[in-house]
Amino acid sequence: MIRTRRLAALLFLVGLASCGSREVLQPYPASGDSGVSFAGTWQLRGDRRLVERRIADAIRDTDGVRDGIRLEPGGRPANVRRGNGRVRGGFVHVFFENGEQLKITQTDAGIFVSFDRAVVEEYRFGENREIRVGQATAQRVSGWDGADYVIETLDRNGMKLTERYQLADDGQVLTRRVSFRAKNGDVVPVTIMYRRQ
């Protein structure tokens, strides 16, 4: 009886310790390098199919599911599910959007990105909130890192998506550095370049 209680207490403490080790994203500053504006219409440089293939490979290599992924119409990755309908591995990729053309509107409070005029994402400066797509939830933080705008999304399974927007060539080139990080720490980066229209 005493041994059973000790075992139960030990299992309880191990459970508490594992809950405490879950990563939490740290917020970014709400204000950054004044004068930086991503506002405008941006056109993808390069082959869209090649970019989509790199994104799909990055997701496959980091989501913890080894039987591949499906792409929804427009190239957006769909989550991989098993027979019981539960998500296996990471699912942060369901929060990822991409497009051949980005239209970015920037206000004093945030950035709005329209992907191919189909989906608009809002990123508030200094945000730290829970986001949801269907039943999938994740923590999102976004804000300024100097002149760069950074968005991080972390799912419950430890898969992390980081997007970093940067301007170059006197504001005529937008670089979007995207990285998918697996729960085990492996990171696969993808760089997407756009030119101002």
Side-chain angles (χ1 to χ4, degrees):
M1 183 74 139
I2 292 174
R3 200 178 255 182
T4 304
R5 286 184 185 168
R6 284 185 184 164
L7 180 59
L10 179 63
L11 289 174
F12 176 75
L13 291 174
V14 168
L16 280 178
S18 67
C19 290
S21 64
R22 191 167 158 193
E23 181 180 3
V24 176
L25 298 176
Q26 297 303 309
Y28 282 86
S31 60
D33 188 349
S34 62
V36 175
S37 177
F38 296 101
T41 303
W42 303 90
Q43 185 65 41
L44 178 70
R45 290 174 58 184
D47 183 357
R48 179 182 182 137
R49 289 176 298 210
L50 178 60
V51 171
E52 288 175 354
R53 189 167 47 248
R54 287 180 180 158
I55 291 167
D57 289 347
I59 293 167
R60 185 190 61 243
D61 291 345
T62 58
D63 71 356
V65 179
R66 292 294 168 235
D67 58 353
I69 64 170
R70 296 185 316 266
L71 294 179
E72 293 177 354
R76 181 172 178 204
N79 204 3
V80 177
R81 297 179 180 272
R82 290 289 186 201
N84 63 5
R86 291 188 312 149
V87 176
R88 293 192 59 206
F91 56 87
V92 77
H93 57 274
V94 302
F95 299 99
F96 179 73
E97 295 292 344
N98 198 36
E100 253 184 285
Q101 187 179 75
L102 306 184
K103 181 173 183 186
I104 300 177
T105 305
Q106 187 168 330
T107 68
D108 291 339
I111 292 177
F112 300 84
V113 183
S114 170
F115 297 89
D116 290 336
R117 299 180 184 175
V119 176
V120 177
E121 289 285 340
E122 172 189 2
Y123 306 108
R124 291 179 253 160
F125 299 155
E127 76 180 316
N128 181 3
R129 64 184 173 125
E130 181 179 275
I131 57 172
R132 178 180 300 274
V133 171
Q135 293 185 7
T137 60
Q139 179 193 10
R140 172 170 287 160
V141 297
S142 72
W144 295 96
D145 182 12
D148 299 349
Y149 195 73
V150 182
I151 303 139
E152 292 184 321
T153 308
L154 178 68
D155 71 22
R156 291 184 197 162
N157 296 335
M159 187 179 178
K160 181 177 172 184
L161 165 65
T162 303
E163 301 173 72
R164 179 176 291 268
Y165 287 80
Q166 302 170 312
L167 290 177
D169 197 18
D170 291 331
Q172 298 305 302
V173 174
L174 174 68
T175 302
R176 186 177 178 210
R177 298 187 192 285
V178 178
S179 63
F180 293 92
R181 190 204 68 196
K183 184 176 182 176
N184 68 5
D186 291 346
V187 176
V188 180
V190 178
T191 300
I192 309 168
M193 306 285 287
Y194 296 88
R195 180 159 293 280
R196 188 182 291 278
Q197 293 294 290

